[in-house]
Amino acid sequence: MSIKIEHVIKNYQDYLALQDINFEIQTGELIALLGPSGSGKTTLLRVIAGLEVPDSGRILFNGEDTHSKAVQERKVGFVFQHYALFKHMTVFENIAFGLRVKPKKQRLDEKSIQEKVNTLLKLVQLDYLGDRFPKELSGGQRQRVALARALAIEPRMLLLDEPFGALDAKVRKELRQWLRDLHQSLHITSVFVTHDVEEALEVSDRIVVMNEGKIEQIGTPDEVYHHPANTFVYTFIGNVNMFRERSNGRVSYIRPHQLEICRSSVDDTYLESHITHIHMAGPLVKVLLTDSLGHSFQVDISQEDFHKLALQKGESVFVRPKSESHLVQDYAI
Amino acid sequence: MEERLTKFINKKHRLLPGFNLTLGVATTYLGLVVILPLSTLILKTAQMGWGDFVNTVMAPRALAAYKLSLITSLVSAMVNAVFGLLVAWVLVRYQFFGKKIIDACMDIPFALPTAVAGIALCATYSSNGILGSYLYAWGIQSAFSPLGIIIALTFIGMPFVVRTVEPVLKDLDKELEEVAASLGANRAQIIWKVIFPTLLPAWITGFTLAFARALGEYGSIAFISGNMPMKTEIAPLLIMTKLEQYDYAGATAIALVMLGGSFVLLLFINGLQQWKQRRTFNE
């Protein structure tokens, strides 16, 4: 189902949570709402779900205004960061909840409910845990139960609020790959909120970058990473070094992997710097440097190059952009 | 060897020291404040012979008193369970003018000397009282009757349910209701299937406390019941009557039966609660 968000504004007593939000989500897309805390991303998700009412503006599902529709009628699967499982019910009953509360006429018979829940348990790879209680499960398992419960009502879209935020790093990685695969097979329109850049870049089809209640950029992970629309997106997505020119105060940005380190300088595009720290762990070596003005910055180089140069902490080296085009001048603000 | 092993297993490492000390203080405290006085009850009763004991305890007047005590306590605890839950709900969920005052009023039955409560209730519910005059006109005898006893016990027990349910209701995760709504549950289903099961343990505890309090209540009943033997005489009043007649052994015998009965009942309710908590939630 497609979702269209038109001029949505939401005020809380002390601050403006959403300032005139406009964008469209195509059927079957997996969208990430990315931003720092307080950027309004969760509020936007709740407005789409119908858990919050916008002060003005419209939300259209397949072109149909949802204003008069309560949460119950919207058929959205909502997944919370802290799972919100019903503690007094087994995993099975949690998943069956949406099926059991249907009006008598639409309700499936007991046998069909059993079958459906068992299918969902298999889908989330928990078919052996149906009679456990939520407190007996790990965080990752709980979140999969929450997802299965949301999918049970055959929602028209899936809304996930920081779904992996409460999990540890390893489980988080596994689960987001799993979510990606699940989305690939189900093709259900999905929106998830995250403040984790890597997560947004890895999982989503398109990213909506938000800040202070406004949309800063909408684009594919590739677009957002390589062609950030403004300073905020540039600094928020991935590591970035900022250089201020002494003469005119202009600011330039460049990512750590777009710089190279040399032993000698050829012309004045080379910046003489001191190595202050070297992080060896990982596929790239992260070298922290300070230039003659005392600004510190980071260069990422391959292990190979690092060993070729035989860099040492405290040494003086020369740094320059691998290509001039990488250096991005400040945006007119 | 075996002894050593069990010692080793029992001696668990604890982050906070003082298990022995706190357990010692706790048992001494319990012993001095509760067990010791109660054991004198048994000693005192033991002064009478077995035959006398059975005669006293099984006397028709005593049986009627137990029955009345039990029924009125149960009814008042049930009334409190229903309305206490409602009051707690209103106090937690809504903001309205005068909420603080209502909140403070909830604790009055805790603090008020029960005799004062008895006098106030008498003035309200007796045949020439503010409410009583209307109730009597309708043919409802609201004082000097079992109904009067229930009214007094309800007054006394009300805060227990409210104050035990309130904190649980306050801590109830709003997301549970939101997720239930997103799954299609209507208001009634959310309350019945999500909120109520979560409140159940606290609710039962509140009910138990109100019930236990009612079983032991004396002061507020003394006035409103009328103390008619076989009709409106509750067990604590019967004990009081016996004491006034210097029949100490008789009084403690009745007290012992009350004590045993209450203990068994409370054990039963607690057991029920634990069973309920462990049990799978099925319709």
Side-chain angles (χ1 to χ4, degrees):
Chain A
M1 187 183 57
S2 70
I3 305 166
K4 192 170 185 188
I5 294 148
E6 286 183 350
H7 302 292
V8 164
I9 294 172
K10 176 79 188 171
N11 262 304
Y12 287 113
Q13 276 149 349
D14 42 351
Y15 75 107
L16 207 57
L18 296 174
Q19 316 185 23
D20 196 23
I21 301 291
N22 288 288
F23 73 98
E24 234 173 295
I25 299 167
Q26 305 304 328
T27 307
E29 260 192 313
L30 178 51
I31 296 279
L33 297 180
L34 175 68
S37 53
S39 59
K41 53 194 192 307
T42 295
T43 308
L44 181 56
L45 195 76
R46 292 172 60 87
V47 166
I48 296 173
L51 294 172
E52 293 306 330
V53 182
D55 297 341
S56 66
R58 300 198 300 168
I59 311 272
L60 306 165
F61 288 178
N62 279 343
E64 188 192 335
D65 194 353
T66 56
H67 184 74
S68 58
K69 285 203 166 166
V71 199
Q72 283 91 340
E73 303 166 72
R74 294 196 185 195
K75 281 197 89 172
V76 296
F78 204 99
V79 175
F80 286 93
Q81 179 178 5
H82 296 287
Y83 331 122
L85 294 179
F86 306 125
K87 288 187 208 77
H88 57 281
M89 295 183 202
T90 58
V91 167
F92 185 96
E93 286 303 323
N94 262 284
I95 297 172
F97 185 86
L99 304 172
R100 294 205 195 280
V101 295
K102 279 195 177 145
K104 264 237 167 72
K105 276 182 195 160
Q106 300 165 30
R107 204 183 302 161
L108 299 169
D109 58 79
E110 184 58 31
K111 196 167 158 264
S112 311
I113 289 178
Q114 298 256 352
E115 270 170 30
K116 188 155 191 188
V117 173
N118 284 328
T119 312
L120 282 162
L121 276 168
K122 277 205 190 83
L123 180 74
V124 297
Q125 297 151 11
L126 293 172
D127 38 335
Y128 55 100
L129 291 177
D131 52 359
R132 298 279 187 89
F133 283 90
K135 67 174 178 193
E136 299 170 306
L137 306 185
S138 71
Q141 289 170 334
R142 285 181 205 184
Q143 197 55 293
R144 281 187 280 165
V145 174
L147 204 60
R149 180 178 63 179
L151 289 172
I153 58 164
E154 290 174 9
R156 299 193 290 175
M157 67 177 125
L158 206 51
L159 303 175
L160 309 108
D161 186 8
E162 303 249 5
F164 314 127
L167 305 171
D168 61 58
K170 189 162 175 286
V171 179
R172 194 154 67 206
K173 274 218 160 115
E174 283 167 16
L175 264 191
R176 69 190 186 212
Q177 188 53 48
W178 180 79
L179 178 69
R180 180 78 252 188
D181 295 346
L182 188 77
H183 181 260
Q184 211 108 73
S185 57
L186 297 179
H187 270 294
I188 179 170
T189 310
S190 309
V191 184
F192 76 100
V193 160
T194 183
H195 63 259
D196 184 336
V197 177
E198 203 188 319
E199 192 169 291
L201 291 173
E202 244 178 58
V203 178
S204 63
D205 295 326
R206 284 197 300 155
I207 299 177
V208 177
V209 186
M210 294 187 68
N211 183 37
E212 291 179 341
K214 291 190 300 266
I215 293 177
E216 299 283 356
Q217 187 175 6
I218 303 174
T220 62
D222 180 53
E223 283 166 357
V224 171
Y225 187 81
H226 292 293
H227 308 286
N230 56 37
T231 320
F232 173 80
V233 179
Y234 210 126
T235 51
F236 189 71
I237 309 267
N239 270 330
V240 73
N241 295 310
M242 189 181 89
F243 292 98
R244 192 180 294 275
E245 275 177 52
R246 213 179 331 181
S247 52
N248 53 15
R250 277 207 314 196
V251 177
S252 311
Y253 296 93
I254 191 160
R255 299 216 187 270
H257 68 88
Q258 293 168 332
L259 288 166
E260 63 180 344
I261 297 176
C262 309
R263 278 289 176 196
S264 56
S265 72
V266 175
D267 53 45
D268 63 353
T269 58
Y270 289 77
L271 184 67
E272 188 176 0
S273 314
H274 256 74
I275 298 177
T276 55
H277 209 90
I278 299 170
H279 292 299
M280 292 279 289
L284 291 173
V285 179
K286 296 182 171 97
V287 184
L288 299 182
L289 305 107
T290 313
D291 67 10
S292 55
L293 295 172
H295 294 308
S296 49
F297 60 97
Q298 183 182 334
V299 180
D300 293 352
I301 59 173
S302 68
Q303 295 275 1
E304 238 171 54
D305 288 344
F306 176 76
H307 287 295
K308 231 179 265 171
L309 288 163
L311 298 175
Q312 298 285 331
K313 194 172 161 180
E315 274 185 314
S316 254
V317 289
F318 297 91
V319 175
R320 70 161 199 166
K322 283 180 180 163
S323 145
E324 266 314 314
S325 64
H326 285 321
L327 204 64
V328 176
Q329 300 296 329
D330 196 5
Y331 301 85
I333 296 172
Chain B
M1 177 64 205
E2 204 177 37
E3 193 193 5
R4 263 178 155 180
L5 197 70
T6 41
K7 246 188 187 168
F8 177 72
I9 292 168
N10 285 339
K11 198 170 177 181
K12 275 190 208 153
H13 178 75
R14 283 172 218 277
L15 191 62
L16 282 176
F19 170 69
N20 290 331
L21 181 72
T22 48
L23 183 70
V25 171
T27 43
T28 312
Y29 174 75
L30 195 70
L32 281 175
V33 177
V34 182
I35 310 285
L36 195 66
L38 289 183
S39 59
T40 61
L41 205 64
I42 298 172
L43 285 177
K44 195 88 192 167
T45 314
Q47 288 172 356
M48 51 191 335
W50 188 246
D52 276 349
F53 176 74
V54 173
N55 280 340
T56 313
V57 165
M58 301 295 280
R61 189 176 164 188
L63 291 180
Y66 306 141
K67 193 176 151 203
L68 185 67
S69 266
L70 203 67
I71 290 173
T72 51
S73 297
L74 256 179
V75 171
S76 74
M78 283 196 258
V79 170
N80 273 327
V82 173
F83 289 97
L85 187 65
L86 206 74
V87 172
W89 180 268
V90 169
L91 284 178
V92 172
R93 286 301 170 110
Y94 305 109
Q95 293 301 328
F96 53 90
F97 181 75
K99 179 176 162 174
K100 284 242 164 74
I101 296 169
I102 291 186
D103 195 32
C105 285
M106 282 323 302
D107 290 328
I108 289 178
F110 270 147
L112 203 67
T114 49
V116 178
I119 294 165
L121 288 170
C122 245
T124 315
Y125 289 102
S126 63
S127 55
N128 52 3
I130 304 162
L131 271 176
S133 53
Y134 295 102
L135 290 171
Y136 272 79
W138 281 73
I140 301 168
Q141 207 183 343
S142 55
F144 314 115
S145 66
L147 179 64
I149 300 173
I150 290 170
I151 290 170
L153 292 178
T154 306
F155 175 85
I156 292 300
M158 182 165 62
F160 290 96
V161 176
V162 177
R163 292 300 184 220
T164 46
V165 170
E166 215 181 349
V168 184
L169 199 54
K170 252 183 203 156
D171 284 346
L172 201 72
D173 199 348
K174 203 176 146 228
E175 288 180 353
L176 289 177
E177 292 167 54
E178 289 178 343
V179 93
S182 80
L183 292 168
N186 58 37
R187 250 348 252 169
Q189 285 170 322
I190 293 173
I191 291 173
W192 185 242
K193 292 186 166 217
V194 177
I195 298 175
F196 189 70
T198 315
L199 293 181
L200 195 61
W203 192 58
I204 294 178
T205 304
F207 170 82
T208 314
L209 287 173
F211 177 58
R213 178 74 178 85
L215 275 179
E217 176 56 13
Y218 161 74
S220 60
I221 312 297
F223 297 95
I224 204 167
S225 75
N227 296 339
M228 288 170 277
M230 305 300 292
K231 280 188 190 147
T232 61
E233 188 179 50
I234 57 169
L237 277 170
L238 180 61
I239 294 168
M240 211 45 214
T241 313
K242 288 203 180 290
L243 285 178
E244 277 162 3
Q245 293 161 354
Y246 304 107
D247 179 9
Y248 294 127
T252 53
I254 305 265
L256 200 61
V257 171
M258 280 294 286
L259 183 71
S262 317
F263 191 68
V264 169
L265 265 169
L266 293 178
L267 265 186
F268 173 73
I269 296 174
N270 280 336
L272 191 77
Q273 192 178 349
Q274 272 173 18
W275 172 74
K276 182 80 196 160
Q277 259 174 308
R278 254 187 274 125
R279 195 175 141 253
T280 313
F281 184 86
N282 275 324
E283 286 203 42

